[in-house]
Amino acid sequence: MHCCIATMKQCNKIYYNRMPELPEVETIVRQLNKKVKSLKITKVWFDYPKLLKGEINQQNFKEIVEGKTILKVAREGKNIIFHLSGGWSLIIHLKLTGRILVGNDDFIAEDPYVHFKMELSDGIYLALSDLRKFAKIILEKTEKIKTLEEIKKLGLEPLAKDFTFEAFDEALAKKRSGKIKNILMDQSVVSGIGNIYANEILWKAKVSPFKDIKLLSLKEKREIYEAIKKILQEAIKLRGSTINDEMYRDIKGEMGGYGKLLKAYHQEKCARCGTPIKRTLEKGRATFYCERCQN
Ligand SMILES: [Zn+2]
């Protein structure tokens, strides 16, 4: 397997806080709908029950989930939601190093970090691999998922029709002040944007990541809004970004293609003006920007 376990220490430093964002999770959800929709869950297996959060214990989890059918797979922010028959929903958040794998037994067995696995009808397995075991699994009644803390707090969904400029502007206004990059990554404002895409969006919009939102002009806010839509859509088309840690994979174990198109995140020179990209580190999270283009 390709992961960087031998250099974990280095990984912790450099890629701390790198997690799948909207384009990666959306890619996984679309693929899951093609592969596992309407399949029945015949067996559930865990070797690290701590991944299971919420009120339902491992034994009850098995009893509820086994025998259910996957009706459809959806996304809320960075959460993957399996809607099951019988009015139940299974929510998975991949956190830093989680991966969903779908395939036959041999394919799943190749991954040494599988800690949760479901056998489905048709001899297909759906597994959760997680090197660092921060991923989260929650089983909840479908009617109650909107009340879960993880879902309730989510702000605007950038792929939804109601993500208009007016709605975005209003969500910013509610925050009053704060650095624009931090605000973009705040899941209660816009959901699904993390460190990679926040850097890319601000590079495209030519706005400094450190600019306070109360100082943004109308034009800058419009540029940021347009960049959110454009970049997320382009990244989804290429099945998300796998960067040089090679951590993110889709459900077939393949890398995303958008990593090669990144313009700021871990880049050396600005693709617009050639100025070296500046990098600053705050609480383990790196910000990349062009001092000349982004004001
Ligand atoms: Zn530049």
Side-chain angles (χ1 to χ4, degrees):
M1 281 259 97
H2 40 69
C3 99
C4 45
I5 192 150
T7 53
M8 268 291 276
K9 227 173 156 190
Q10 195 188 2
C11 276
N12 285 352
K13 261 188 193 164
I14 300 175
Y15 300 108
Y16 193 69
N17 284 323
R18 159 60 180 145
M19 62 165 77
E21 301 176 32
L22 186 148
E24 290 80 40
V25 180
E26 181 67 21
T27 299
I28 291 167
V29 165
R30 289 182 186 185
Q31 291 182 333
L32 284 170
N33 272 313
K34 282 189 196 147
K35 286 265 177 183
V36 304
K37 197 163 127 179
S38 42
L39 296 186
K40 195 169 163 180
I41 303 164
T42 52
K43 210 167 179 185
V44 171
W45 173 92
F46 273 101
D47 82 343
Y48 191 74
K50 279 186 184 164
L51 296 176
L52 188 58
K53 309 286 180 201
E55 283 156 24
I56 290 163
N57 68 28
Q58 197 185 350
Q59 190 51 40
N60 290 342
F61 182 95
K62 279 179 135 192
E63 278 167 21
I64 294 167
V65 171
E66 285 177 355
K68 297 285 189 297
T69 300
I70 300 172
L71 301 178
K72 71 167 182 181
V73 190
R75 179 182 59 76
E76 293 274 359
K78 301 174 196 167
N79 299 281
I80 300 164
I81 308 189
F82 297 84
H83 291 298
L84 309 180
S85 55
W88 288 93
S89 292
L90 178 64
I91 299 148
I92 298 184
H93 194 303
L94 299 172
K95 296 285 173 177
L96 286 173
T97 55
R99 280 180 192 165
I100 301 271
L101 301 169
V102 175
N104 62 22
D105 208 8
D106 291 344
F107 173 68
I108 303 296
E110 271 176 35
D111 189 305
Y113 309 111
V114 168
H115 298 298
F116 168 70
K117 180 161 83 168
M118 299 197 289
E119 189 182 337
L120 309 175
S121 43
D122 291 1
I124 289 178
Y125 288 81
L126 188 155
L128 173 65
S129 146
D130 192 4
L131 169 68
R132 292 178 64 181
K133 300 182 186 165
F134 291 147
K136 224 158 82 166
I137 303 172
I138 300 171
L139 181 64
E140 186 52 90
K141 281 275 184 192
T142 304
E143 62 194 32
K144 278 195 180 166
I145 59 171
K146 296 271 181 204
T147 65
L148 287 173
E149 207 43 54
E150 288 77 4
I151 310 293
K152 196 168 69 177
K153 67 172 187 193
L154 296 175
L156 297 168
E157 160 55 46
L159 301 188
K161 279 207 177 81
D162 59 5
F163 182 64
T164 58
F165 174 70
E166 288 67 30
F168 175 62
D169 193 24
E170 215 172 276
L172 288 182
K174 271 192 209 145
K175 279 283 159 185
R176 295 194 190 168
S177 78
K179 291 174 192 165
I180 179 61
K181 179 165 172 255
N182 294 340
I183 301 282
L184 283 182
M185 292 173 64
D186 180 337
Q187 300 303 296
S188 71
V189 180
V190 180
S191 66
I193 300 172
N195 200 29
I196 289 191
Y197 296 103
N199 278 302
E200 293 301 304
I201 287 162
L202 292 170
W203 180 87
K204 189 168 179 65
K206 299 185 191 170
V207 174
S208 162
F210 313 111
K211 192 158 190 174
D212 196 290
I213 53 164
K214 60 180 186 258
L215 301 174
L216 291 175
S217 68
L218 193 62
K219 185 176 175 280
E220 285 172 326
K221 285 190 271 191
R222 278 205 180 272
E223 296 282 350
I224 295 167
Y225 167 77
E226 293 299 337
I228 292 173
K229 295 212 298 184
K230 188 130 211 280
I231 286 180
L232 296 180
Q233 276 157 10
E234 280 176 3
I236 291 168
K237 254 188 230 161
L238 294 171
R239 296 173 302 101
S241 302
T242 301
I243 52 168
N244 49 358
D245 65 350
E246 299 193 355
M247 202 39 94
Y248 162 70
R249 302 290 166 131
D250 66 11
I251 68 169
K252 300 170 196 159
E254 286 168 11
M255 296 199 232
Y258 196 72
K260 291 189 184 81
L261 296 189
L262 295 173
K263 299 286 195 280
Y265 190 85
H266 278 283
Q267 301 305 301
E268 292 196 349
K269 277 182 183 172
C270 173
R272 258 186 315 246
C273 73
T275 304
I277 290 283
K278 255 206 135 146
R279 168 190 167 142
T280 62
L281 208 60
E282 197 183 330
K283 292 179 197 156
R285 187 178 281 155
T287 297
F288 299 86
Y289 60 103
C290 172
E291 264 185 318
R292 196 165 158 206
C293 296
Q294 294 174 253
N295 300 299

